[in-house]
Structure formats: structure tokens, C-alpha cells
mmCIF file of all heavy atoms in Angstrom:
data_model
loop_
_atom_site.group_PDB
_atom_site.id
_atom_site.type_symbol
_atom_site.label_atom_id
_atom_site.label_comp_id
_atom_site.label_asym_id
_atom_site.label_seq_id
_atom_site.Cartn_x
_atom_site.Cartn_y
_atom_site.Cartn_z
ATOM 1 N N GLU A 23 67.668 51.760 101.200
ATOM 2 C CA GLU A 23 68.122 52.974 100.704
ATOM 3 C C GLU A 23 68.116 53.902 101.905
ATOM 4 O O GLU A 23 67.098 54.204 102.527
ATOM 5 C CB GLU A 23 67.095 53.498 99.651
ATOM 6 C CG GLU A 23 67.375 54.789 99.035
ATOM 7 C CD GLU A 23 66.325 55.256 98.092
ATOM 8 O OE1 GLU A 23 65.637 54.317 97.422
ATOM 9 O OE2 GLU A 23 66.114 56.490 97.924
ATOM 10 N N ALA A 24 69.331 54.583 102.142
ATOM 11 C CA ALA A 24 69.488 55.298 103.405
ATOM 12 C C ALA A 24 69.885 56.748 103.040
ATOM 13 O O ALA A 24 70.761 56.984 102.275
ATOM 14 C CB ALA A 24 70.505 54.669 104.290
ATOM 15 N N HIS A 25 69.237 57.822 103.756
ATOM 16 C CA HIS A 25 69.661 59.174 103.612
ATOM 17 C C HIS A 25 69.870 59.722 104.950
ATOM 18 O O HIS A 25 69.328 59.215 106.018
ATOM 19 C CB HIS A 25 68.474 59.907 102.935
ATOM 20 C CG HIS A 25 68.225 59.424 101.593
ATOM 21 N ND1 HIS A 25 68.759 59.698 100.399
ATOM 22 C CD2 HIS A 25 67.166 58.412 101.262
ATOM 23 C CE1 HIS A 25 68.151 58.972 99.394
ATOM 24 N NE2 HIS A 25 67.270 58.224 99.885
ATOM 25 N N ASP A 26 70.694 60.755 105.059
ATOM 26 C CA ASP A 26 70.820 61.428 106.300
ATOM 27 C C ASP A 26 70.654 62.939 106.319
ATOM 28 O O ASP A 26 70.740 63.479 105.259
ATOM 29 C CB ASP A 26 72.311 61.072 106.969
ATOM 30 C CG ASP A 26 73.291 61.739 106.099
ATOM 31 O OD1 ASP A 26 73.518 61.376 104.919
ATOM 32 O OD2 ASP A 26 74.068 62.593 106.692
ATOM 33 N N ALA A 27 70.270 63.425 107.521
ATOM 34 C CA ALA A 27 69.962 64.853 107.576
ATOM 35 C C ALA A 27 70.559 65.343 108.989
ATOM 36 O O ALA A 27 70.447 64.585 109.972
ATOM 37 C CB ALA A 27 68.451 65.190 107.472
ATOM 38 N N TYR A 28 70.949 66.632 109.029
ATOM 39 C CA TYR A 28 71.410 67.270 110.252
ATOM 40 C C TYR A 28 70.497 68.299 110.725
ATOM 41 O O TYR A 28 70.336 68.482 111.879
ATOM 42 C CB TYR A 28 72.756 67.847 109.957
ATOM 43 C CG TYR A 28 73.359 68.702 111.037
ATOM 44 C CD1 TYR A 28 73.802 68.082 112.279
ATOM 45 C CD2 TYR A 28 73.483 70.102 110.994
ATOM 46 C CE1 TYR A 28 74.300 68.739 113.369
ATOM 47 C CE2 TYR A 28 74.026 70.763 111.965
ATOM 48 C CZ TYR A 28 74.318 70.176 113.234
ATOM 49 O OH TYR A 28 74.830 70.873 114.242
ATOM 50 N N THR A 29 69.807 68.982 109.823
ATOM 51 C CA THR A 29 68.968 70.138 110.311
ATOM 52 C C THR A 29 67.438 69.768 110.004
ATOM 53 O O THR A 29 67.078 68.843 109.285
ATOM 54 C CB THR A 29 69.160 71.386 109.384
ATOM 55 O OG1 THR A 29 68.930 71.161 108.010
ATOM 56 C CG2 THR A 29 70.647 71.751 109.555
ATOM 57 N N ARG A 30 66.594 70.492 110.635
ATOM 58 C CA ARG A 30 65.091 70.336 110.549
ATOM 59 C C ARG A 30 64.730 70.565 108.945
ATOM 60 O O ARG A 30 64.007 69.729 108.472
ATOM 61 C CB ARG A 30 64.358 71.482 111.368
ATOM 62 C CG ARG A 30 62.885 71.500 110.968
ATOM 63 C CD ARG A 30 62.189 72.587 111.658
ATOM 64 N NE ARG A 30 61.867 72.025 112.949
ATOM 65 C CZ ARG A 30 62.167 72.744 114.100
ATOM 66 N NH1 ARG A 30 62.894 73.857 114.117
ATOM 67 N NH2 ARG A 30 61.843 72.207 115.202
ATOM 68 N N ASP A 31 65.305 71.620 108.333
ATOM 69 C CA ASP A 31 65.017 71.893 106.970
ATOM 70 C C ASP A 31 65.418 70.627 106.033
ATOM 71 O O ASP A 31 64.681 70.249 105.233
ATOM 72 C CB ASP A 31 65.668 73.139 106.490
ATOM 73 C CG ASP A 31 65.087 74.374 107.105
ATOM 74 O OD1 ASP A 31 63.884 74.294 107.695
ATOM 75 O OD2 ASP A 31 65.773 75.375 107.218
ATOM 76 N N ASP A 32 66.642 70.062 106.264
ATOM 77 C CA ASP A 32 67.118 68.997 105.509
ATOM 78 C C ASP A 32 66.130 67.852 105.775
ATOM 79 O O ASP A 32 65.846 67.071 104.758
ATOM 80 C CB ASP A 32 68.542 68.667 105.909
ATOM 81 C CG ASP A 32 69.491 69.565 105.221
ATOM 82 O OD1 ASP A 32 69.197 70.368 104.453
ATOM 83 O OD2 ASP A 32 70.708 69.569 105.778
ATOM 84 N N ALA A 33 65.826 67.568 106.920
ATOM 85 C CA ALA A 33 64.899 66.459 107.322
ATOM 86 C C ALA A 33 63.515 66.530 106.658
ATOM 87 O O ALA A 33 63.004 65.603 105.953
ATOM 88 C CB ALA A 33 64.732 66.314 108.904
ATOM 89 N N LEU A 34 63.086 67.719 106.651
ATOM 90 C CA LEU A 34 61.670 67.884 106.050
ATOM 91 C C LEU A 34 61.763 67.940 104.432
ATOM 92 O O LEU A 34 60.946 67.297 103.807
ATOM 93 C CB LEU A 34 61.090 69.212 106.462
ATOM 94 C CG LEU A 34 60.644 69.338 107.955
ATOM 95 C CD1 LEU A 34 60.235 70.710 108.251
ATOM 96 C CD2 LEU A 34 59.567 68.338 108.212
ATOM 97 N N ARG A 35 62.865 68.449 103.982
ATOM 98 C CA ARG A 35 63.068 68.435 102.465
ATOM 99 C C ARG A 35 63.280 67.025 101.997
ATOM 100 O O ARG A 35 62.591 66.556 101.044
ATOM 101 C CB ARG A 35 64.323 69.221 102.066
ATOM 102 C CG ARG A 35 64.567 69.312 100.560
ATOM 103 C CD ARG A 35 65.888 70.165 100.281
ATOM 104 N NE ARG A 35 66.928 69.711 101.002
ATOM 105 C CZ ARG A 35 67.766 68.643 100.749
ATOM 106 N NH1 ARG A 35 67.449 67.849 99.864
ATOM 107 N NH2 ARG A 35 68.718 68.402 101.499
ATOM 108 N N LEU A 36 64.106 66.204 102.714
ATOM 109 C CA LEU A 36 64.294 64.773 102.279
ATOM 110 C C LEU A 36 63.091 64.036 102.550
ATOM 111 O O LEU A 36 62.768 63.135 101.701
ATOM 112 C CB LEU A 36 65.499 64.239 103.022
ATOM 113 C CG LEU A 36 66.876 64.547 102.478
ATOM 114 C CD1 LEU A 36 67.981 64.213 103.473
ATOM 115 C CD2 LEU A 36 67.112 63.940 101.160
ATOM 116 N N SER A 37 62.353 64.221 103.578
ATOM 117 C CA SER A 37 61.088 63.513 103.847
ATOM 118 C C SER A 37 60.059 63.712 102.707
ATOM 119 O O SER A 37 59.409 62.770 102.342
ATOM 120 C CB SER A 37 60.477 63.924 105.205
ATOM 121 O OG SER A 37 61.285 63.528 106.215
ATOM 122 N N SER A 38 59.974 64.935 102.194
ATOM 123 C CA SER A 38 58.984 65.165 101.090
ATOM 124 C C SER A 38 59.549 64.620 99.746
ATOM 125 O O SER A 38 58.804 64.238 98.840
ATOM 126 C CB SER A 38 58.720 66.640 100.967
ATOM 127 O OG SER A 38 59.770 67.367 100.780
ATOM 128 N N HIS A 39 60.897 64.662 99.626
ATOM 129 C CA HIS A 39 61.490 64.320 98.271
ATOM 130 C C HIS A 39 61.589 62.761 98.053
ATOM 131 O O HIS A 39 61.227 62.276 97.088
ATOM 132 C CB HIS A 39 62.819 65.042 98.150
ATOM 133 C CG HIS A 39 63.486 64.633 96.897
ATOM 134 N ND1 HIS A 39 63.171 65.092 95.714
ATOM 135 C CD2 HIS A 39 64.660 63.855 96.687
ATOM 136 C CE1 HIS A 39 63.981 64.683 94.734
ATOM 137 N NE2 HIS A 39 64.872 63.910 95.333
ATOM 138 N N VAL A 40 62.025 62.050 99.093
ATOM 139 C CA VAL A 40 62.402 60.679 98.923
ATOM 140 C C VAL A 40 61.202 59.846 99.520
ATOM 141 O O VAL A 40 61.267 58.564 99.419
ATOM 142 C CB VAL A 40 63.732 60.229 99.585
ATOM 143 C CG1 VAL A 40 64.909 60.964 98.886
ATOM 144 C CG2 VAL A 40 63.762 60.348 101.078
ATOM 145 N N SER A 41 60.329 60.370 100.319
ATOM 146 C CA SER A 41 59.277 59.627 100.928
ATOM 147 C C SER A 41 59.673 58.406 101.632
ATOM 148 O O SER A 41 59.412 57.260 101.333
ATOM 149 C CB SER A 41 58.178 59.302 99.894
ATOM 150 O OG SER A 41 57.050 58.742 100.494
ATOM 151 N N PRO A 42 60.415 58.580 102.753
ATOM 152 C CA PRO A 42 60.915 57.450 103.477
ATOM 153 C C PRO A 42 59.833 56.624 104.131
ATOM 154 O O PRO A 42 58.737 57.064 104.463
ATOM 155 C CB PRO A 42 61.811 58.073 104.618
ATOM 156 C CG PRO A 42 61.266 59.526 104.727
ATOM 157 C CD PRO A 42 60.735 59.883 103.508
ATOM 158 N N ASP A 43 60.151 55.364 104.296
ATOM 159 C CA ASP A 43 59.269 54.424 105.041
ATOM 160 C C ASP A 43 59.545 54.629 106.525
ATOM 161 O O ASP A 43 58.598 54.410 107.339
ATOM 162 C CB ASP A 43 59.555 52.958 104.579
ATOM 163 C CG ASP A 43 59.340 52.703 103.073
ATOM 164 O OD1 ASP A 43 58.221 53.043 102.674
ATOM 165 O OD2 ASP A 43 60.325 52.369 102.382
ATOM 166 N N LEU A 44 60.786 54.907 106.881
ATOM 167 C CA LEU A 44 61.123 54.948 108.244
ATOM 168 C C LEU A 44 62.063 56.213 108.488
ATOM 169 O O LEU A 44 63.014 56.399 107.736
ATOM 170 C CB LEU A 44 62.002 53.721 108.630
ATOM 171 C CG LEU A 44 62.688 53.598 109.931
ATOM 172 C CD1 LEU A 44 61.771 53.805 111.153
ATOM 173 C CD2 LEU A 44 63.537 52.359 110.022
ATOM 174 N N VAL A 45 61.803 57.082 109.427
ATOM 175 C CA VAL A 45 62.680 58.076 109.895
ATOM 176 C C VAL A 45 63.189 57.763 111.432
ATOM 177 O O VAL A 45 62.457 57.468 112.217
ATOM 178 C CB VAL A 45 61.929 59.391 110.003
ATOM 179 C CG1 VAL A 45 62.841 60.578 110.553
ATOM 180 C CG2 VAL A 45 61.479 59.800 108.516
ATOM 181 N N VAL A 46 64.503 57.737 111.410
ATOM 182 C CA VAL A 46 65.237 57.415 112.737
ATOM 183 C C VAL A 46 65.659 58.878 113.272
ATOM 184 O O VAL A 46 66.470 59.497 112.468
ATOM 185 C CB VAL A 46 66.382 56.520 112.470
ATOM 186 C CG1 VAL A 46 67.085 56.238 113.806
ATOM 187 C CG2 VAL A 46 65.993 55.252 111.932
ATOM 188 N N LEU A 47 65.075 59.310 114.240
ATOM 189 C CA LEU A 47 65.159 60.684 114.713
ATOM 190 C C LEU A 47 65.828 60.785 116.047
ATOM 191 O O LEU A 47 65.253 60.199 117.087
ATOM 192 C CB LEU A 47 63.819 61.329 114.743
ATOM 193 C CG LEU A 47 63.630 62.734 115.085
ATOM 194 C CD1 LEU A 47 64.355 63.625 114.157
ATOM 195 C CD2 LEU A 47 62.116 63.068 114.935
ATOM 196 N N ASP A 48 66.942 61.551 116.192
ATOM 197 C CA ASP A 48 67.607 61.749 117.400
ATOM 198 C C ASP A 48 66.688 62.744 118.287
ATOM 199 O O ASP A 48 66.230 63.758 117.732
ATOM 200 C CB ASP A 48 68.921 62.373 117.335
ATOM 201 C CG ASP A 48 69.719 62.441 118.620
ATOM 202 O OD1 ASP A 48 69.394 61.882 119.580
ATOM 203 O OD2 ASP A 48 70.810 63.138 118.550
ATOM 204 N N LEU A 49 66.470 62.506 119.567
ATOM 205 C CA LEU A 49 65.623 63.275 120.371
ATOM 206 C C LEU A 49 66.220 64.708 120.641
ATOM 207 O O LEU A 49 65.557 65.712 120.644
ATOM 208 C CB LEU A 49 65.249 62.671 121.726
ATOM 209 C CG LEU A 49 64.381 63.292 122.579
ATOM 210 C CD1 LEU A 49 62.983 63.504 121.960
ATOM 211 C CD2 LEU A 49 64.303 62.675 123.892
ATOM 212 N N LYS A 50 67.509 64.698 120.936
ATOM 213 C CA LYS A 50 68.266 65.927 121.441
ATOM 214 C C LYS A 50 69.276 66.362 120.451
ATOM 215 O O LYS A 50 70.325 65.555 120.389
ATOM 216 C CB LYS A 50 68.678 65.732 122.793
ATOM 217 C CG LYS A 50 68.270 66.839 123.739
ATOM 218 C CD LYS A 50 68.759 66.587 125.198
ATOM 219 C CE LYS A 50 68.080 67.615 125.988
ATOM 220 N NZ LYS A 50 68.407 67.353 127.475
ATOM 221 N N MET A 51 69.111 67.411 119.805
ATOM 222 C CA MET A 51 70.124 68.007 118.902
ATOM 223 C C MET A 51 70.272 69.498 119.129
ATOM 224 O O MET A 51 69.271 70.107 119.595
ATOM 225 C CB MET A 51 69.738 67.669 117.458
ATOM 226 C CG MET A 51 69.709 66.208 117.125
ATOM 227 S SD MET A 51 69.399 65.896 115.363
ATOM 228 C CE MET A 51 67.606 66.230 115.309
ATOM 229 N N PRO A 52 71.399 70.067 118.814
ATOM 230 C CA PRO A 52 71.497 71.574 119.025
ATOM 231 C C PRO A 52 70.416 72.181 118.125
ATOM 232 O O PRO A 52 70.322 71.916 117.062
ATOM 233 C CB PRO A 52 72.814 71.833 118.490
ATOM 234 C CG PRO A 52 73.659 70.504 118.565
ATOM 235 C CD PRO A 52 72.603 69.501 118.363
ATOM 236 N N ASN A 53 69.742 73.118 118.611
ATOM 237 C CA ASN A 53 68.778 73.935 117.855
ATOM 238 C C ASN A 53 67.725 73.180 117.314
ATOM 239 O O ASN A 53 66.993 73.634 116.440
ATOM 240 C CB ASN A 53 69.464 74.830 116.875
ATOM 241 C CG ASN A 53 70.521 75.660 117.345
ATOM 242 O OD1 ASN A 53 70.317 76.324 118.498
ATOM 243 N ND2 ASN A 53 71.654 75.809 116.717
ATOM 244 N N LEU A 54 67.469 71.914 117.780
ATOM 245 C CA LEU A 54 66.402 71.102 117.232
ATOM 246 C C LEU A 54 66.042 70.016 118.302
ATOM 247 O O LEU A 54 66.789 69.345 118.800
ATOM 248 C CB LEU A 54 66.880 70.248 115.923
ATOM 249 C CG LEU A 54 65.978 69.341 115.293
ATOM 250 C CD1 LEU A 54 64.610 70.047 114.813
ATOM 251 C CD2 LEU A 54 66.489 68.628 114.197
ATOM 252 N N ASN A 55 64.692 69.980 118.551
ATOM 253 C CA ASN A 55 64.179 68.978 119.470
ATOM 254 C C ASN A 55 63.489 68.029 118.683
ATOM 255 O O ASN A 55 62.480 68.452 117.856
ATOM 256 C CB ASN A 55 63.207 69.623 120.473
ATOM 257 C CG ASN A 55 62.660 68.709 121.498
ATOM 258 O OD1 ASN A 55 62.703 67.519 121.202
ATOM 259 N ND2 ASN A 55 62.190 69.239 122.564
ATOM 260 N N GLY A 56 63.772 66.743 118.684
ATOM 261 C CA GLY A 56 63.141 65.665 117.914
ATOM 262 C C GLY A 56 61.706 65.735 118.123
ATOM 263 O O GLY A 56 60.973 65.295 117.237
ATOM 264 N N LEU A 57 61.223 66.032 119.334
ATOM 265 C CA LEU A 57 59.793 65.950 119.517
ATOM 266 C C LEU A 57 59.049 66.959 118.642
ATOM 267 O O LEU A 57 57.946 66.693 118.140
ATOM 268 C CB LEU A 57 59.434 66.306 121.074
ATOM 269 C CG LEU A 57 60.005 65.314 122.058
ATOM 270 C CD1 LEU A 57 59.721 65.745 123.436
ATOM 271 C CD2 LEU A 57 59.290 63.925 121.837
ATOM 272 N N ASP A 58 59.668 68.135 118.343
ATOM 273 C CA ASP A 58 58.996 69.090 117.486
ATOM 274 C C ASP A 58 58.947 68.609 116.105
ATOM 275 O O ASP A 58 57.942 69.009 115.256
ATOM 276 C CB ASP A 58 59.881 70.411 117.589
ATOM 277 C CG ASP A 58 59.874 71.087 118.911
ATOM 278 O OD1 ASP A 58 58.896 70.758 119.732
ATOM 279 O OD2 ASP A 58 60.839 71.737 119.229
ATOM 280 N N LEU A 59 59.922 67.787 115.647
ATOM 281 C CA LEU A 59 59.883 67.370 114.244
ATOM 282 C C LEU A 59 58.984 66.171 113.903
ATOM 283 O O LEU A 59 58.521 66.038 112.773
ATOM 284 C CB LEU A 59 61.356 66.952 113.952
ATOM 285 C CG LEU A 59 61.824 66.907 112.493
ATOM 286 C CD1 LEU A 59 61.337 68.052 111.667
ATOM 287 C CD2 LEU A 59 63.207 66.628 112.369
ATOM 288 N N ILE A 60 58.540 65.450 114.982
ATOM 289 C CA ILE A 60 57.727 64.258 114.692
ATOM 290 C C ILE A 60 56.398 64.645 113.912
ATOM 291 O O ILE A 60 56.057 64.175 112.928
ATOM 292 C CB ILE A 60 57.311 63.590 116.128
ATOM 293 C CG1 ILE A 60 58.543 63.025 116.670
ATOM 294 C CG2 ILE A 60 56.330 62.468 115.874
ATOM 295 C CD1 ILE A 60 58.279 62.590 118.193
ATOM 296 N N GLN A 61 55.704 65.671 114.509
ATOM 297 C CA GLN A 61 54.433 66.072 113.963
ATOM 298 C C GLN A 61 54.654 66.600 112.464
ATOM 299 O O GLN A 61 53.699 66.392 111.631
ATOM 300 C CB GLN A 61 53.694 67.065 114.781
ATOM 301 C CG GLN A 61 53.220 66.403 116.027
ATOM 302 C CD GLN A 61 52.496 67.394 117.023
ATOM 303 O OE1 GLN A 61 52.902 68.545 117.241
ATOM 304 N NE2 GLN A 61 51.394 67.036 117.533
ATOM 305 N N GLN A 62 55.689 67.334 112.377
ATOM 306 C CA GLN A 62 55.943 67.926 110.970
ATOM 307 C C GLN A 62 56.196 66.746 109.885
ATOM 308 O O GLN A 62 55.720 66.889 108.852
ATOM 309 C CB GLN A 62 57.067 68.858 110.965
ATOM 310 C CG GLN A 62 56.778 70.131 111.852
ATOM 311 C CD GLN A 62 58.105 71.010 111.947
ATOM 312 O OE1 GLN A 62 59.058 70.868 111.242
ATOM 313 N NE2 GLN A 62 58.097 71.865 112.995
ATOM 314 N N ILE A 63 56.915 65.734 110.272
ATOM 315 C CA ILE A 63 57.115 64.620 109.403
ATOM 316 C C ILE A 63 55.802 63.871 109.254
ATOM 317 O O ILE A 63 55.455 63.512 108.074
ATOM 318 C CB ILE A 63 58.244 63.720 110.001
ATOM 319 C CG1 ILE A 63 59.566 64.377 109.949
ATOM 320 C CG2 ILE A 63 58.208 62.298 109.243
ATOM 321 C CD1 ILE A 63 60.709 63.626 110.680
ATOM 322 N N LYS A 64 55.084 63.668 110.227
ATOM 323 C CA LYS A 64 53.834 62.910 110.024
ATOM 324 C C LYS A 64 52.724 63.719 109.220
ATOM 325 O O LYS A 64 51.913 63.135 108.555
ATOM 326 C CB LYS A 64 53.165 62.636 111.497
ATOM 327 C CG LYS A 64 53.927 61.580 112.225
ATOM 328 C CD LYS A 64 53.716 60.234 111.617
ATOM 329 C CE LYS A 64 54.176 59.142 112.595
ATOM 330 N NZ LYS A 64 53.853 57.836 112.079
ATOM 331 N N LYS A 65 52.892 65.150 109.208
ATOM 332 C CA LYS A 65 51.998 65.846 108.417
ATOM 333 C C LYS A 65 52.302 65.637 106.936
ATOM 334 O O LYS A 65 51.394 65.704 106.153
ATOM 335 C CB LYS A 65 52.072 67.336 108.787
ATOM 336 C CG LYS A 65 51.302 67.787 109.952
ATOM 337 C CD LYS A 65 51.446 69.326 110.237
ATOM 338 C CE LYS A 65 50.840 69.607 111.529
ATOM 339 N NZ LYS A 65 50.997 70.996 111.882
ATOM 340 N N LEU A 66 53.579 65.495 106.637
ATOM 341 C CA LEU A 66 53.963 65.261 105.186
ATOM 342 C C LEU A 66 53.426 63.942 104.665
ATOM 343 O O LEU A 66 52.995 63.812 103.602
ATOM 344 C CB LEU A 66 55.548 65.201 105.124
ATOM 345 C CG LEU A 66 56.196 66.591 105.274
ATOM 346 C CD1 LEU A 66 57.720 66.341 105.283
ATOM 347 C CD2 LEU A 66 55.878 67.442 104.207
#
């Protein structure tokens, strides 16, 4: 079951809503550093 997200907010919303087993995260995106998002996903 695969979902996709472009923004930090979408990623966090989907992470809390669908409870993924695996998040595949690009390191470098405009206005978003994948390193910053790792801890937020792990907190969820």
C-alpha cells in the first residue's frame, strides 16, 4: 500500500493517518531537508 507526499505537512499528516511501516524520504528538497523530518516522523 503506497502513499506519496511532497511537503513536510503532507508527510506528517499521512504518517499519522496511515501509520506507514516504511517511509522513503528524499534528503534534499526545496524548503525541506529530509534530515529535519526524520525525528518528527520517529516521534509520531
